[in-house]
Amino acid sequence: MLVQIPANTIDDMFVHKYQTDQLMVVRGSFILVILHDGKYQYIHLNDVEPKVVTIPPLVPHSAINLNDEPCMLINAVIRHGRAHPADYRPLKAPFPFDLDRVDRLSLGKQCQIAA
C-alpha cells in the first residue's frame, strides 16, 4: 500500500499482532521510531538512500516527519492472520521521543540507535 506521512507530523505508536510491515520511502524522508528492550531506536529513512525496513508483529513503532514536505512510502504488508481492531488503535508512548535526536538524525549528524 502507498502511505503518506504528512509534513510536521509525530504519529502515535502502533503495534500489530498479526501483521509485518515492510517499509520503503519513495519520496521524501522521515524518522521511524521502534521501541525495543525499553529503548527507542530512531531510523532515518529517505528516498536518497532507499532501504527496506521490516517491522515484525508485536513491535511498537511510530513515524516522525518534521520536514516541511510530506513523505511517501510503500508498506508491503504481510498478514499472519485476520486483521485485529487493536492493530490500528494508537498506543500511548511510554516516554517522550527525543526530538533533538530526531532533528540531528534528519540532518545526518548522529547514529541511528538511541542510547
Side-chain angles (χ1 to χ4, degrees):
M1 72 179 78
L2 187 60
V3 178
Q4 177 175 300
I5 303 169
N8 302 304
T9 297
I10 301 174
D11 279 346
D12 292 319
M13 296 203 84
F14 288 88
V15 62
H16 308 297
K17 295 180 185 224
Y18 304 109
Q19 173 177 315
T20 295
D21 289 337
Q22 300 176 103
L23 309 175
M24 186 177 84
V25 171
V26 295
R27 187 177 66 200
S29 68
F30 81 104
I31 304 298
L32 174 66
V33 182
I34 296 173
L35 181 61
H36 180 70
D37 288 338
K39 298 177 186 174
Y40 290 137
Q41 295 181 357
Y42 298 86
I43 304 168
H44 183 218
L45 297 173
N46 62 69
D47 60 358
V48 176
E49 301 172 87
K51 56 187 158 196
V52 175
V53 173
T54 301
I55 306 169
L58 304 177
V59 175
H61 56 284
S62 178
I64 300 176
N65 180 5
L66 298 181
N67 302 305
D68 292 331
E69 299 291 326
C71 178
M72 300 296 290
L73 60 119
I74 295 172
N75 186 355
V77 173
I78 300 172
R79 298 216 187 269
H80 307 286
R82 291 185 176 194
H84 191 277
D87 285 350
Y88 304 99
R89 278 190 221 131
L91 300 174
K92 182 171 173 50
F95 46 92
F97 297 129
D98 183 344
L99 297 183
D100 288 336
R101 183 168 285 203
V102 168
D103 279 339
R104 289 190 305 270
L105 183 56
S106 293
L107 296 172
K109 296 181 181 177
Q110 185 170 332
C111 70
Q112 295 185 12
I113 298 178

